[in-house]
């Protein structure tokens, strides 16, 4: 019964992380800015790191069931 919220949170974290990684990749590939007002390498690195952390957290929550 209590695994319902954990599954939901895991799916949300994993989906957000995957979409953030795809979005960052598209921005880098097209040359679009990843974040306004921030240097491109810093914004790209922060977005990639956040995407990996969110994806890993989501997968960790889903595997821990």
């Amino acid at each position: 019964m209590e695994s319902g919220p954990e599954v939901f949170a895991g799916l949300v974290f994993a989906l957000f992380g995957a979409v953030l990684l795809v979005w960052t990749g598209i921005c880098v590939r097209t040359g679009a800015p990843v974040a306004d007002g921030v240097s491109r390498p810093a914004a790209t690195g922060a977005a990639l790191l956040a995407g990996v952390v969110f994806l890993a957290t989501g997968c960790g929550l889903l595997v821990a069931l």
Side-chain angles (χ1 to χ4, degrees), residues 48-64:
L48 289 175
L49 178 65
V52 169
V53 167
F54 275 106
L55 187 60
T57 302
C59 291
L61 285 171
L62 291 173
V63 170

Side-chain angles (χ1 to χ4, degrees), residues 23 33-39 43:
W23 176 76
V34 177
D36 289 332
V38 182
S39 70

Side-chain angles (χ1 to χ4, degrees), residues 24-46:
T24 304
I26 290 171
C27 285
V28 168
R29 189 171 189 186
T30 61
V34 177
D36 289 332
V38 182
S39 70
R40 186 170 299 224
T44 302

